[in-house]
Amino acid sequence: MTWLRDVLVDLAEDSPRVDLAERTIMIRDRRRRTAISLVAAAMVVVTALGATLAARLLPPGPDDAASVTDLPAKGVGPLSHAVKTYCTPKSGPAPEDCQDGEWRLVTRDGRTYRVPDALPSLVPRRMGLRDSPLAISRDGGKIAYYGEEEDTFVVRDLASGRRTTAPAKVPKDWLYSMTRLMLSDDGRFLVFMKNPIFKDPGLIFDLRERAVRELPNGWVPAGLSPDGGTLTLSQYAPRSMLRTIPGLWTTPGDGTSVKLPQDYHFSPLAPDGRSIAVIENIFAGDHTCPRPGGLALLDSRTGEKLRSVTVRGMDAGVTSVSLRAWLGPEEVTVLTESVRCNTEAEDQEPDEEFDPPYRTMTAYAVNVETGRARKLATYTAQDFRQLVLPGAPGKL
């Protein structure tokens, strides 16, 4: 493949500190997204994704970013979402007072804050390679991030201001990957994992008991039982798999895995603690332009397909999706994007001095029983990984 050869040549003189395959995948992903996307938009669309599971839709406003302030010590309301910023988009404006790799939090009432004590990510190619993950609890009231001074993860209650530091240090070198962070609903447990597989372990922290357990890496955390005893993981590359690890704190072992017969984009674990939603992609004839197909429900422990429905009610032109948190027992959040498919994108060489442009993404609530979609909100970000919604991550 031309892209693989080019990336390997680019990396040949770089430090061997980072796994070559991982860096190749990351650069390949950024190149492809930059090449196929010509959509420029203003930064940070303020949305309100309420606890009642309804949301009001607000138009994008480039001036919203002008009111960004540092996160107060306490007294912050529940979050709608968080956005990571990179400041040299290939086209279109960057947010005012942009700082590369920083997280900006947006509350349900539209206030925007930066997190000054969170370690910023580095920009691949322009600055280096380092990811810095952030997670939001399902109720929007707590966040988890890597503390620059603490050299490990910090969980922060936004209302009370209480900060809890993880009971073990996490070397910054372990952030040289595509990271995933999941915070339990009560803020007690925090899961850190990376993809693709590295020799560094994944970790789960019990912040109340001050305990830590190593986990197999290379997975996406999909769900944790309320007592923190059973962890569900998903994996989408090199093939789709699901893994369940019971007895996290009492029984050694990495649990059991099930290989799936086709590739899926996974949601987090459903409220029933067992099922998981997936999107089945339909490709154009030349396999260059994915079109999201039906939504299916799987048993996370056996891989058995429980049901499949046709999604109805989304805007025409949706080309990519990311399944996010469940809004109830029957509705899952589907974050969508519409980009112009370009069959010649593989042969284009985007200017590596620039970042992807900011573009609009639309969230829907999709009923897994009927397939009916209802629009929730729109956001502006550079790609799915730079937009965090409350709850466990899906396939980003």
Side-chain angles (χ1 to χ4, degrees), residues 57 315 318 334-338 360-364 375-379 384 387:
L57 185 63
D315 292 342
V318 169
V334 180
L335 185 63
T336 70
E337 188 178 10
S338 299
T360 300
M361 301 172 188
T362 303
Y364 296 86
K375 188 175 291 187
L376 294 175
T378 59
Y379 310 91
F384 283 149
L387 176 64

Side-chain angles (χ1 to χ4, degrees), residues 18 146 227:
V18 185
Y146 189 95
D227 64 357

